[in-house]
Amino acid sequence: MKRIASHGYIVMDPWLTTPNPVDNYQAEWLVGVQEWVEENLEGKLHEDGFNAEMHMDNENVFLMGHSAGGHVIVEYLKHHCNKVKGHILFSPVDGFDPFGLVDMF
């Protein structure tokens, strides 16, 4: 992740633990994460010493997920593409369907 961040990308790794894995895979919780990032992250980074001239581009978002996280990203994109310009899926093979070919319900 440090290497990706070194090219100017902001790397976040949100994680949600729920008693019901379906709630996690439905990915609705990522809506709140994206809203928080857009409203708060740049200010928090500046408070923590990042260059005040650094500004986040919230209009060009890329999402990345590894393994089960890839499935969460795909599910999120099925309903909330809005500002997302691309996604990176690392090893999305944990026995679930990362490409939405299997009905969840």
Side-chain angles (χ1 to χ4, degrees):
M1 294 299 119
K2 287 181 182 179
R3 184 165 174 88
I4 294 170
S6 74
H7 292 280
Y9 292 93
I10 295 172
V11 178
M12 295 187 57
D13 187 13
W15 178 15
L16 176 72
T17 306
T18 66
N20 180 353
V22 172
D23 292 340
N24 185 35
Y25 282 120
Q26 289 176 342
E28 287 301 313
W29 58 274
L30 279 174
V31 173
V33 171
Q34 186 171 3
E35 289 171 354
W36 185 91
V37 165
E38 290 179 10
E39 294 170 9
N40 300 294
L41 184 59
E42 185 174 313
K44 297 279 186 193
L45 292 172
H46 291 163
E47 288 172 14
D48 287 346
F50 276 75
N51 186 328
E53 294 181 20
M54 184 278 304
H55 298 288
M56 292 178 50
D57 181 358
N58 290 313
E59 299 300 316
N60 293 295
V61 175
F62 279 75
L63 300 176
M64 183 194 79
H66 174 262
S67 191
H71 308 303
V72 174
I73 296 302
V74 169
E75 188 63 28
Y76 177 77
L77 290 173
K78 286 168 44 180
H79 306 285
H80 305 285
C81 284
N82 52 28
K83 299 174 182 179
V84 178
K85 303 297 187 213
H87 64 280
I88 302 165
L89 304 177
F90 289 126
S91 302
V93 289
D94 69 346
F96 196 73
D97 175 25
F99 302 106
L101 301 174
V102 176
D103 289 335
M104 271 177 106
F105 307 102

